[in-house]
Amino acid sequence: MLVNKTKPTLSESIRDGLVELIVSGQLKAGERLIETKIAADFGTSQAPVREALRELEGLGLVESRPRRGRHVLPFVEQTIREAYVVRAALEETATRLAMLNNRLPLDAMRDDVADMHRCAAAGDLRAMGLASARFHRRVVVASDNFLLQRAWEGLQIESRTAITLVLTNPSLEHVAAEHAELLDVLAAGDVEAACLHTRAHQWAYADLPHDMHGAAREVRFPG
């Protein structure tokens, strides 16, 4: 079942706040994360902090050590790139399945794109990431393939999208326009063109030194 998120839970807000601190370097590699202190900083109980930290462990940003607590791991941008390559393959397959079965929820996806334009106008980075994830999740759900959807969700799309937006600091209007262009291709009904565009859309965010055809390109991630 597809659920549209409009307001982040406490654990999501804490997770996103910690992601920004880690990616920006305000939380250093090796620094210990103390649940009580984080809870006090965010004005909440320890339960949502614990949930957020577990998710950050899954993203490879935090490590739990027996009898030593949780510590910040060195941020490795390569893991973000690799996730987008895997995501591209999953979403290309989802697009093919959804289109062959005529299941794409195009009207709902148009609403998502309109929401992205509103996010861009408001400069709301977090809401943009959620709207983007929602747009792509609709295609994955429309594939009607449980294992594909489970693999896609396992990539922790919303969290990785948030990290990518913090890293690249793109024009939010450009992000909205990219999704509008992808939607136009999907709505046109050419399955092969739609699959190619879907794959290219994610490979661009993979930020590799070459595109999916092997042509050289400029890497945008810093460092």
Side-chain angles (χ1 to χ4, degrees):
M1 180 179 178
L2 186 64
V3 178
N4 290 343
K5 296 183 179 181
T6 55
K7 185 177 180 180
T9 64
L10 273 175
S11 65
E12 288 172 337
S13 295
I14 295 167
R15 175 202 67 196
D16 292 347
L18 291 174
V19 163
E20 290 191 20
L21 292 173
I22 292 170
V23 172
S24 66
Q26 294 179 64
L27 281 175
K28 306 296 184 184
E31 189 167 339
R32 187 177 181 187
L33 298 171
I34 303 171
E35 286 184 13
T36 52
K37 182 179 184 304
I38 296 171
D41 289 342
F42 282 90
T44 186
S45 66
Q46 287 179 243
V49 172
R50 197 171 298 120
E51 185 178 344
L53 291 175
R54 280 197 298 265
E55 189 166 352
L56 292 180
E57 282 188 61
L59 286 166
L61 297 179
V62 169
E63 179 184 46
S64 180
R65 304 174 185 173
R67 297 182 298 279
R68 296 184 61 190
R70 290 186 173 94
H71 293 74
V72 177
L73 287 172
F75 177 61
V76 181
E77 294 166 5
Q78 180 63 24
T79 61
I80 301 299
R81 297 186 174 103
E82 290 173 354
Y84 273 103
V85 173
V86 174
R87 181 178 171 182
L90 293 174
E91 292 194 16
E92 178 183 359
T93 300
T95 296
R96 186 178 302 279
L97 292 172
M99 292 185 69
L100 288 175
N101 292 316
N102 195 30
R103 292 175 57 91
L104 281 178
L106 295 173
D107 288 341
M109 294 169 74
R110 289 187 184 97
D111 289 341
D112 293 332
V113 170
D115 192 25
M116 288 184 218
H117 283 295
R118 286 191 289 270
C119 293
D124 193 333
L125 196 71
R126 186 185 186 282
M128 175 64 81
L130 292 175
S132 171
R134 189 166 62 245
F135 175 97
H136 291 284
R137 182 178 282 107
R138 293 190 195 280
V139 179
V140 173
V141 171
S143 74
D144 199 26
N145 186 303
F146 173 75
L147 290 180
L148 192 157
Q149 184 178 352
R150 187 173 180 180
W152 189 87
E153 295 288 0
L155 291 174
Q156 297 174 277
I157 299 299
E158 290 172 357
S159 298
R160 293 190 192 279
T161 299
I163 293 172
T164 301
L165 291 175
V166 170
L167 271 176
T168 59
N169 191 29
S171 160
L172 296 187
E173 189 55 51
H174 179 67
V175 173
E178 285 181 327
H179 286 82
E181 181 183 354
L182 175 57
L183 180 58
D184 286 343
V185 176
L186 293 171
D190 184 326
V191 175
E192 295 306 323
C195 288
L196 177 63
H197 202 100
T198 295
R199 192 190 336 152
H201 179 82
Q202 299 302 336
W203 269 70
Y205 282 91
D207 220 34
L208 297 169
H210 49 78
D211 65 19
M212 62 184 183
H213 303 292
R217 59 189 294 275
E218 182 180 350
V219 176
R220 294 172 298 167
F221 281 144

